[in-house]
Amino acid sequence: MPNPVRFGLYLVLASTPLLAISGEVFGIVSLRAVSTLFLFPLLGILAVVVIVKPAGIDRTALAGFAWGVAACAGYDLFRLPNVYVFHLWGDFFGRIGGWATGTSSNYLTGYLWRYLGDGAGIGVVVFLQAAVIGVSSWPRRRVVGYTVAFAVCPVWAGLVLTDWLAPAGRALFPLNATTLALSLAGHLIYGAILGYGLWAWQNHTRRDVPRAAEISSGASLPSRLAETTRPTTPVSLTQ
């Protein structure tokens, strides 16, 4: 069981970028204030903690971060053609970047927020939760099902609910059959990739445990080195 303070610090930091979007939409708090007064200071505190006293949970969080970014890229391989080729959906991340920088639009900041905040943050949350509930013994299908379910609810459901309840002019995108289907499909892709990553990471860590035990016990030393410690039988010499 990870240290509860460290675990909570990771969860709060990883959840903030996504939750802050809802806060901005409803006029509760601006993304700029969240990033300047809360997100970056908390990130600095966590960085100091990780450097001064590293722990196993840090590796799990880093794996979740990396696979969250990869899953977000997979989502965008599906989403961006529908936005810029087929024009079935608008791209609202310029607007999110503008909220974060206090400008009308900023696509660079918006996509940094999407990948390093939303996508990576969800990955960290999922990997840490999986470590606590013990999914390491689950088969791949069940692990992927778990991450897909999380991507649908609360993530996709929360996005749709935010848009549905948003004040006039604050919605991220219009809700209709097309945008609902496309956004759901994207979250299914995200969840599937993240689930594969979680399963692969769990397999990797399971293999490392017995390997580390072998190394610590000396069982992995080459047999020729072990043989040098065995007593030898004297060989009689005849004239």
Side-chain angles (χ1 to χ4, degrees):
M1 181 67 184
N3 179 282
V5 175
R6 201 181 193 112
F7 181 79
L9 191 62
Y10 269 118
L11 284 187
V12 171
L13 182 63
S15 303
T16 295
L18 188 62
L19 295 176
I21 293 177
S22 295
E24 172 76 52
V25 168
F26 294 120
I28 299 171
V29 62
S30 70
L31 288 191
R32 191 175 187 183
V34 169
S35 59
T36 304
L37 303 177
F38 182 77
L39 196 58
F40 291 141
L42 188 63
L43 182 60
I45 293 172
L46 182 61
V48 171
V49 171
V50 170
I51 292 172
V52 173
K53 193 176 180 181
I57 189 176
D58 303 329
R59 293 190 294 274
T60 303
L62 181 60
F65 183 97
W67 276 104
V69 171
C72 194
Y75 184 165
D76 272 354
L77 286 176
F78 166 78
R79 183 181 68 90
L80 291 177
N82 287 302
V83 172
Y84 290 105
V85 177
F86 303 111
H87 305 290
L88 299 175
W89 201 1
D91 193 343
F92 52 84
F93 285 98
R95 189 178 184 187
I96 290 177
W99 288 342
T101 57
T103 59
S104 60
S105 179
N106 190 315
Y107 278 94
L108 176 60
T109 302
Y111 272 90
L112 287 174
W113 195 281
R114 171 170 174 77
Y115 276 85
L116 304 184
D118 296 346
I122 296 168
V124 171
V125 170
V126 168
F127 271 56
L128 293 184
Q129 287 184 346
V132 171
I133 65 178
V135 306
S136 58
S137 61
W138 292 3
R140 180 173 60 181
R141 180 177 299 178
R142 188 177 176 188
V143 173
V144 173
Y146 161 71
T147 57
V148 167
F150 190 91
V152 172
C153 185
V155 179
W156 177 76
L159 172 67
V160 172
L161 188 62
T162 296
D163 242 23
W164 183 47
L165 298 176
R170 302 290 291 178
L172 296 172
F173 56 88
L175 290 179
N176 52 53
T178 299
T179 57
L180 285 173
L182 291 176
S183 60
L184 177 59
H187 281 80
L188 293 175
I189 293 169
Y190 175 91
I193 296 173
L194 190 64
Y196 175 81
L198 176 58
W199 174 79
W201 167 253
Q202 295 287 359
N203 276 350
H204 171 74
T205 54
R206 277 204 309 270
R207 288 195 303 267
D208 280 352
V209 171
R211 187 180 303 154
E214 287 180 359
I215 293 173
S216 64
S217 65
S220 64
L221 292 174
S223 58
R224 65 176 181 275
L225 294 180
E227 288 174 357
T228 60
T229 62
R230 299 174 184 171
T232 57
T233 303
V235 180
S236 59
L237 301 175
T238 56
Q239 298 295 333

